[in-house]
Amino acid sequence: MKISIPAGAAEIIQKLMTRGFDAYVVGGCVRDSLMGRTAEDWDITTNARPDDIKTVFAGRKMIDIGERHGTVAVKAVGKYYEITTYRIDGAYGDGRRPDTVSFTENLREDLCRRDFTINAMAYNDKNGLVDYFGGHDDVKSGVVRCVGDAAQRFSEDYLRIMRAYRFAATLGFSLASDVRQAAMAGRENLRNIAVERIRTEFMKMLLSDDFDRIEMFFEDCADTLFPEIANLAGFEQNNPYHCYDVLQHTFHVLRNTSADGAMRLAALYHDAGKLHTRTTDAAGIHHFHGHQEVSVKIAATALAHWRFDNQTAERVLAIVKHHDVNFGTNRLAIKRMLHKFGPDLARNLLDFQRADNMAKNDRVKGEKLAAVLAAQALLEDIMATDEPVKISDLALSGRDVMKELGIAPSAAVGEHLQRLMEHVLENPEANNRDILIALLHKTIKL
């Protein structure tokens, strides 16, 4: 079995071996290559110590990634490759990283400290695949299995629990039964991990298209990390629009969204407020008046906790807030939508409504979907014909307004432009400099 190693990594391995050291590509790149996937990172492991690596590659560009842990990045064929010395990890006192690291000459000792068998394989062209723990068989079987005892692996680094579910989702693998049991047993320890590390693993999972694995993660771990979502399980929606409880509806919406972080986060939180707003009328029908605003508050708290960037948070909250708004299906209504939200968010909102309606009762789904699809078609036609929908599209600028009216920069300038915009939205043929100047003076007289 031969793996095609990039020229830079191959050069580094060859140079180390020429100087009498062992060297292999290791970890995810080997796994991905065996699966026929394009590997992103090609890491190299060797028995050469950091000082040896620096000597072998003297004159090359190098970065000390973590010399204490034996990692030096060396540039070869235009790219940096991380080279790490075989090592043995000491005790993990904080459940995150080893307290001590010692170097070893033994490749097996290095590989046995790794998290999963599918990540504990090494390869070079001379010796072929080195697989002490059955990683290749697990790749072929599609199983995420720990190297050694699962509970022990997770106690060393609690983030490995998240990584287990992430690999299952992104690779389409199942979790070995002991891995899943150990993950559920140790999930409370995830509270001790930095939120940024959890967020990174979670988003990789959420952006996969293996929704069965995503649901499995929520089933196993949501009560620890996402209680506001876990609490939606079994919360019924007895009304003509819905055929699922809130959590199942949430998962069905998720399945219909594009692989976009903000869209998928909005899917998770768009109905979270229903838990706090349900009322029941005399006929036993459930209503959720104002759930959008409550959902926004819940989502805002969660996004702040997980330290999402402001741009992502703003887009998620806008989608959650407006996910139930009827934007209409006539041209003027969609132009006003484009004016208010801009094309990107407008497209997000309509696409989210499509996903949301696909997760509703068949009795209403067809009609609601038809309305959303009609609105989407109108939006794209408006964009294709380049109709003016935003202030910057106007044939008159703020500077023009100030000059014509003899006024200084102020809020009034924006108000005049907005009135002109409203007129142009209804009358696109009026987007002409002379016409707008005349209209500007006319509105002043009025």
Side-chain angles (χ1 to χ4, degrees):
M1 175 182 304
K2 184 172 177 61
I3 289 175
S4 180
I5 301 174
E11 179 187 323
I12 289 171
I13 290 172
Q14 182 60 38
K15 196 166 184 66
L16 285 167
M17 293 179 70
T18 299
R19 296 290 291 271
F21 297 107
D22 296 339
Y24 299 84
V25 288
V26 67
C29 61
V30 179
R31 176 201 68 229
D32 289 343
S33 296
L34 294 174
M35 294 180 67
R37 294 161 58 106
T38 300
E40 295 182 4
D41 298 315
W42 290 83
D43 295 330
I44 296 165
T45 189
T46 178
N47 62 342
R49 305 298 169 93
D51 287 344
D52 296 327
I53 296 170
K54 291 177 180 180
T55 299
V56 171
F57 296 102
R60 298 281 189 99
K61 290 185 177 180
M62 284 182 277
I63 303 171
D64 284 337
I65 300 294
E67 189 171 346
R68 173 175 172 266
H69 293 94
T71 302
V72 178
V74 173
K75 193 171 187 179
V77 194
K79 181 179 177 181
Y80 282 97
Y81 293 88
E82 291 188 9
I83 309 171
T84 302
T85 305
Y86 299 163
R87 74 186 202 205
I88 300 171
D89 293 342
Y92 286 71
D94 60 359
R96 295 174 57 195
R97 59 178 70 87
D99 299 329
T100 60
V101 167
S102 58
F103 298 137
T104 177
E105 291 289 322
N106 190 303
L107 174 60
R108 184 186 181 104
E109 289 182 331
D110 179 84
L111 295 176
C112 76
R113 69 180 175 80
R114 297 173 184 264
D115 50 8
F116 307 111
T117 61
I118 58 175
N119 297 333
M121 295 178 286
Y123 175 89
N124 65 27
D125 288 337
K126 179 181 178 182
N127 298 319
L129 183 67
V130 179
D131 178 18
Y132 295 115
F133 309 107
H136 193 193
D137 286 340
D138 286 338
V139 166
K140 290 187 287 187
S141 301
V143 177
V144 177
R145 190 186 314 280
C146 287
V147 176
D149 180 71
Q152 176 64 31
R153 289 285 84 82
F154 291 154
S155 71
E156 293 167 348
D157 182 354
Y158 305 135
L159 189 67
R160 287 172 173 170
I161 295 173
M162 291 295 298
R163 284 168 57 82
Y165 290 97
R166 188 256 289 183
F167 282 124
T170 57
L171 300 177
F173 284 12
S174 62
L175 294 184
S177 59
D178 65 318
V179 171
R180 189 174 182 187
Q181 289 170 9
M184 287 189 287
R187 67 187 184 278
E188 288 295 323
N189 292 314
L190 290 170
R191 299 181 192 275
N192 301 321
I193 298 295
V195 294
E196 294 89 349
R197 298 179 78 205
I198 297 285
R199 184 193 65 219
T200 297
E201 295 295 333
F202 175 70
M203 290 308 296
K204 288 178 181 178
M205 182 195 319
L206 193 66
L207 290 173
S208 78
D209 286 328
D210 194 331
F211 298 101
D212 289 341
R213 302 295 188 272
I214 294 171
E215 288 191 36
M216 178 179 70
F217 165 76
F218 275 96
E219 179 183 338
D220 293 353
C221 298
D223 59 340
T224 297
L225 296 177
F226 302 95
E228 68 278 11
I229 305 300
N231 291 338
L232 302 177
F235 195 73
E236 297 297 337
Q237 309 183 83
N238 181 33
N239 64 38
Y241 301 103
H242 290 283
C243 52
Y244 305 111
D245 69 36
V246 179
L247 184 61
Q248 286 305 308
H249 168 75
T250 294
F251 286 145
H252 277 81
V253 174
L254 189 67
R255 287 173 180 269
N256 289 300
T257 55
S258 57
D260 172 271
M263 291 284 282
R264 296 215 165 156
L265 288 166
L268 280 183
Y269 287 102
H270 77 288
D271 277 352
K274 285 187 171 180
L275 186 67
H276 308 283
T277 56
R278 186 174 70 183
T279 59
T280 306
D281 65 21
I285 302 300
H286 293 161
H287 303 277
F288 303 93
H289 300 301
H291 79 273
Q292 302 91 338
E293 290 77 11
V294 178
S295 297
V296 167
K297 292 178 181 178
I298 293 170
T301 299
L303 295 170
H305 171 76
W306 295 112
R307 299 181 186 173
F308 279 94
D309 63 274
N310 291 337
Q311 185 177 10
T312 297
E314 288 170 5
R315 193 152 64 102
V316 172
L317 297 179
I319 296 169
V320 172
K321 180 177 181 179
H322 299 98
H323 77 272
D324 266 351
V325 173
N326 181 357
F327 293 110
T329 55
N330 65 72
R331 199 171 192 86
L332 179 58
I334 301 305
K335 287 200 288 185
R336 283 181 171 148
M337 181 192 185
L338 279 164
H339 172 63
K340 179 176 182 179
F341 297 109
D344 291 340
L345 182 55
R347 285 186 173 108
N348 284 164
L349 287 165
L350 290 178
D351 198 43
F352 189 86
Q353 289 192 348
R354 177 196 57 77
D356 192 18
N357 286 314
M358 287 179 71
K360 291 182 178 177
N361 196 311
D362 286 341
R363 288 176 292 175
V364 299
K365 180 166 59 178
E367 179 182 349
K368 287 184 169 292
L369 275 176
V372 172
L373 293 174
Q376 287 180 311
L378 269 174
L379 185 152
E380 295 306 327
D381 186 62
I382 292 165
M383 294 301 297
T385 53
D386 205 26
E387 292 188 45
V389 294
K390 56 185 185 294
I391 297 291
S392 60
D393 294 333
L394 290 175
L396 208 64
S397 69
R399 189 179 299 275
D400 294 327
V401 170
M402 290 186 285
K403 181 179 179 181
E404 288 293 328
L405 300 182
I407 60 176
S410 65
V413 176
E415 293 168 1
H416 287 302
L417 288 172
Q418 184 58 42
R419 280 193 288 271
L420 294 176
M421 187 75 250
E422 284 294 329
H423 183 79
V424 168
L425 287 173
E426 295 185 31
N427 307 278
E429 70 281 359
N431 193 30
N432 171 281
R433 179 181 173 80
D434 293 336
I435 293 174
L436 292 181
I437 289 174
L439 183 62
L440 178 65
H441 287 288
K442 181 180 179 181
T443 56
I444 287 296
K445 292 177 182 178
L446 293 176

